[in-house]
């Protein structure tokens, strides 16, 4: 025998025929196994669907919103100055004796004379002036050329709010000034173009790419012209303050299927600078593309701790879309908790079944103890019995959950209620995580073991003399 006697007895009892058990105990065992299987199956299906929906939101919304944007110029880093000559520039702040003279203000003068000795009756505070060469600033251009872990690409970028007017409607949008080549390679919008492409955003052409939802609201098509008005670059005219405005031509339409489709307009970066009356691009920022937008904190920490970028100059996608993803995450966690409680209820049915088994088998337990079986071995018999029931339920639920999840869209089509929630309209998005599913299955087994502890301890405390006296 290559395994403990407690495991041998528990396994024999778990696989024994129903005739060796009372009908009620057998029913409770089957009910607990079925409950664990159904709860685990439902949890796998729901978690996989919620993962798919979260992935779709991540693709649709964060494919448009900048992952990280570094605005303006980061904070300057000042080096410790060193004085190399005796003729260093000094700032003299005389401290005047109250008995000789009273001054209402402290004069400051810059001298190039040798330092004055302390015997002259006035004390000097020497403050060396730092030369311009001893200051260094991490510019946006330097950040653009510096490789950062987790960042796949970066580009000069500008964003402003504007009003777009067509022949039939007026809408507020966000104008994104981008570089077409970078957007074509590193953004999902380029893969969801219905008409045109980003290469059509030629510098100086004042062309634009808009979302399908915005095109429907404006009743505009490719080739139509829209008037873009930017209040942030207004000028004073004889007729009053007028916003900067320009006629732009629609050269492309994208469809990400997100709530941002009717709020974003893409234009060439140079054209946006001209529209903002800033042809040199002094107001440009730096846009970073991450390989995983959810790992933005690691990149932000690297920028602030290692590269000296001020936190106030960093904007992330959470500032705009954080509440949406927090709501999805909370809904996912609450659904998981609710289904785990269902599994817990099914697992704790094992308690009632094992308590009845202990009561029914008191004589057998007493006989085993009189033959030398230790109380700890008796306890492990019932703990392992509950574990075997949990393994049966978790195994059935795991197989059913994986199979149904993989065929979920086919099942919905079969019952006549298809759901086209994916970006390409293919059906319900499903994303299975093997680590997550394994963790759920192990948690179910842990609940079964915990539910077996109480009846197992009750069996361990049975006194053989009293149990055999009643036989």
């Amino acid at each position: 025998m290559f395994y403990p006697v407690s495991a041998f007895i528990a396994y024999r009892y778990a696989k024994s025929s129903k005739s060796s058990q009372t009908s009620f105990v057998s029913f409770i065992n089957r009910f607990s196994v079925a409950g664990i299987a159904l709860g685990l199956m439902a949890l796998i299906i729901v978690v996989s669907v919620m993962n798919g929906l979260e992935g779709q939101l991540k693709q649709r919304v964060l494919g448009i919103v900048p992952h990280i944007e570094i605005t303006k110029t980061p904070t300057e880093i000042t080096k410790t100055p060193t004085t190399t000559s005796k003729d260093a520039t000094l700032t003299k702040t005389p401290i005047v004796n109250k008995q000789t003279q009273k001054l209402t203000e402290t004069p400051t003068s810059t001298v190039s004379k040798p330092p004055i000795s302390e015997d002259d009756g006035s004390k000097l505070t020497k403050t060396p002036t730092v030369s311009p060469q001893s200051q260094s600033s991490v510019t946006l251009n330097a950040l653009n050329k510096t490789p950062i872990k987790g960042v796949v690409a970066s580009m000069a970028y500008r964003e402003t709010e504007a009003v777009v007017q067509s022949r039939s409607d007026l809408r507020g949008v966000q104008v994104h000034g981008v570089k077409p080549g970078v957007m074509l390679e590193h953004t999902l919008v380029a893969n969801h173009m219905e008409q045109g492409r980003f290469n059509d955003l030629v510098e100086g052409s004042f062309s634009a790419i808009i979302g399908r939802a915005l095109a429907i609201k404006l009743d505009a098509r490719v080739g139509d012209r829209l008037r873009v008005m930017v209040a942030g670059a207004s000028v004073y005219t004889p007729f009053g303050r007028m916003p900067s405005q320009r006629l732009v031509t629609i050269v492309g339409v994208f469809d990400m299927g997100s709530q941002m489709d009717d709020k974003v307009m893409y234009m060439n970066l140079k054209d946006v600078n001209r529209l903002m009356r800033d042809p040199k691009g002094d107001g440009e920022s730096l846009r970073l593309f991450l390989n995983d937008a959810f790992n933005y904190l690691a990149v932000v920490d690297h920028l602030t701790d290692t590269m000296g970028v001020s936190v106030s100059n960093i904007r992330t996608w959470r500032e705009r879309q954080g509440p949406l993803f927090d709501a999805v995450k909370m809904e996912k966690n609450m659904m998981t908790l609710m289904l785990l409680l269902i599994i817990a209820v099914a697992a704790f049915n094992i308690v009632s079944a094992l308590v009845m088994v202990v009561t029914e088998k008191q004589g057998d337990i007493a006989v085993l103890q009189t033959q030398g079986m230790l109380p700890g071995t008796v306890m492990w018999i019932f703990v392992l019995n509950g574990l075997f029931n949990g393994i049966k339920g978790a195994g059935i639920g795991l197989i059913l959950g994986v199979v149904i999840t993989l065929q979920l869209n086919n099942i919905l089509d079969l019952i006549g209620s298809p759901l086209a929630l994916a970006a390409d309209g293919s059906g319900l998005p499903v994303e299975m995580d093997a680590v997550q599913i394994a963790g759920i299955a192990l948690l179910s087994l842990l609940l079964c073991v915990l539910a077996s502890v109480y009846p197992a301890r009750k069996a361990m405390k049975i006194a053989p003399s009293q149990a055999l006296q009643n036989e």
Side-chain angles (χ1 to χ4, degrees):
M1 187 178 298
F2 297 95
Y3 46 91
V5 64
S6 55
F8 174 75
I9 297 175
Y11 178 72
R12 287 289 299 272
Y13 184 77
K15 64 177 292 190
S16 62
S17 61
K18 301 299 183 292
S19 59
S20 61
Q21 307 176 19
T22 62
S23 59
F24 189 64
V25 174
S26 176
F27 169 76
I28 294 180
N29 271 328
R30 291 197 301 268
F31 183 79
S32 60
V33 170
I36 294 170
L38 291 175
L40 184 59
M41 178 191 70
L43 185 55
I44 291 174
I45 295 173
V46 170
V47 169
S48 299
V49 172
M50 293 298 295
N51 288 339
L53 292 175
E54 188 178 34
Q56 286 294 312
L57 281 177
K58 182 179 177 181
Q59 174 183 347
R60 298 181 186 185
V61 177
L62 300 187
I64 298 177
V65 177
H67 297 164
I68 294 179
E69 180 184 356
I70 305 176
T71 60
K72 300 179 182 179
T73 302
T75 306
E76 291 187 348
I77 304 174
T78 304
K79 298 180 180 180
T80 305
T82 56
T83 303
T84 57
S85 73
K86 296 181 180 179
D87 294 334
T89 305
L90 301 178
T91 301
K92 181 175 70 173
T93 306
I95 302 175
V96 183
N97 192 342
K98 294 181 180 180
Q99 297 178 357
T100 59
Q101 186 178 3
K102 294 182 180 179
L103 298 178
T104 58
E105 58 183 8
T106 304
T108 303
S109 61
T110 302
V111 298
S112 59
K113 300 178 182 180
I116 304 174
S117 62
E118 297 180 357
D119 297 335
D120 295 337
S122 63
K123 298 180 180 179
L124 297 180
T125 303
K126 299 181 180 180
T127 307
T129 303
V130 183
S131 62
Q133 296 180 352
S134 63
Q135 289 184 346
S136 64
S137 59
V138 183
T139 62
L140 295 180
N141 189 26
L143 288 175
N144 192 14
K145 297 178 181 180
T146 304
I148 302 174
K149 184 179 180 181
V151 178
V152 295
S154 60
M155 72 173 182
Y157 171 79
R158 188 160 195 170
E159 179 181 336
T160 184
E161 295 182 353
V163 175
V164 178
Q165 182 183 15
S166 66
R167 291 173 296 179
S168 60
D169 204 350
L170 191 72
R171 294 283 174 176
V173 297
Q174 297 175 357
V175 178
H176 291 188
V178 298
K179 291 187 175 181
V182 180
M183 293 293 292
L184 190 61
E185 295 181 7
H186 300 287
T187 184
L188 293 175
V189 182
N191 299 328
H192 292 81
M193 296 292 296
E194 288 192 347
Q195 293 177 290
R197 54 182 182 175
F198 272 94
N199 288 337
D200 297 330
L201 297 178
V202 182
E203 179 183 349
S205 64
F206 283 93
S207 54
I209 295 175
I210 63 176
R212 181 173 179 269
L214 181 60
I216 293 174
K217 293 180 179 179
L218 295 176
D219 191 18
R221 299 171 179 83
V222 173
D224 291 349
R225 306 190 74 183
L226 304 175
R227 184 176 297 275
V228 180
M229 295 172 285
V230 181
S234 58
V235 294
Y236 289 95
T237 67
F239 301 98
R241 188 172 182 177
M242 299 293 293
S244 175
Q245 53 184 302
R246 188 84 185 203
L247 289 175
V248 300
T249 305
I250 301 176
V251 295
V253 176
F254 67 89
D255 185 13
M256 291 287 290
S258 72
Q259 60 180 0
M260 300 295 295
D261 284 9
D262 62 341
K263 299 178 177 63
V264 172
M265 169 186 287
Y266 290 105
M267 293 180 62
N268 191 286
L269 178 61
K270 300 297 182 181
D271 293 345
V272 174
N273 287 335
R274 292 191 183 96
L275 183 64
M276 295 295 295
R277 303 184 186 278
D278 180 22
K280 295 182 179 180
D282 295 333
E284 293 179 359
S285 58
L286 186 65
R287 177 173 177 174
L288 304 182
F289 297 87
L290 308 184
N291 54 6
D292 186 1
F294 286 171
N295 293 334
Y296 70 98
L297 283 177
V299 179
V300 172
D301 292 340
H302 178 77
L303 290 173
T304 55
D305 298 339
T306 305
M307 309 192 71
V309 181
S310 175
V311 178
S312 60
N313 292 334
I314 300 177
R315 298 175 58 189
T316 65
W317 61 266
R318 280 201 59 86
E319 298 179 12
R320 305 181 185 183
Q321 302 298 330
L324 173 63
F325 285 89
D326 289 341
V328 173
K329 185 176 181 179
M330 182 184 67
E331 183 179 0
K332 177 181 175 181
N333 292 338
M334 293 305 297
M335 292 291 292
T336 303
L337 177 61
M338 182 179 66
L339 293 174
L340 278 177
L341 291 177
I342 295 176
I343 296 177
V345 171
F348 280 95
N349 283 330
I350 298 175
V351 176
S352 57
L354 290 181
V355 167
M356 295 173 60
V357 170
V358 169
T359 304
E360 181 184 0
K361 301 294 183 180
Q362 283 189 0
D364 297 339
I365 296 172
V367 171
L368 291 175
Q369 288 180 336
T370 55
Q371 292 180 351
M373 180 174 287
L374 298 176
T377 306
V378 174
M379 183 187 72
W380 276 107
I381 291 175
F382 291 93
V383 171
L384 293 175
N385 190 11
L387 177 61
F388 290 150
N389 286 335
I391 291 175
K392 288 191 292 185
I396 297 172
L398 184 63
I399 295 173
L400 291 177
V402 172
V403 171
I404 294 177
T405 301
L406 293 175
Q407 301 296 325
L408 185 59
N409 287 310
N410 295 332
I411 295 174
L412 292 176
D413 291 335
L414 185 63
I415 63 178
S417 59
L419 296 175
L421 298 180
D424 55 357
S426 60
L428 195 66
V430 176
E431 183 179 339
M432 298 180 64
D433 188 351
V435 177
Q436 193 176 42
I437 293 176
I440 294 172
L442 291 177
L443 182 59
S444 302
L445 294 178
L446 179 62
L447 290 175
C448 294
V449 172
L450 292 178
S452 307
V453 171
Y454 170 72
R457 291 181 62 86
K458 185 176 180 180
M460 181 181 66
K461 295 178 181 179
I462 291 178
S465 58
Q466 297 178 359
L468 293 176
Q469 185 179 2
N470 298 326
E471 290 292 331

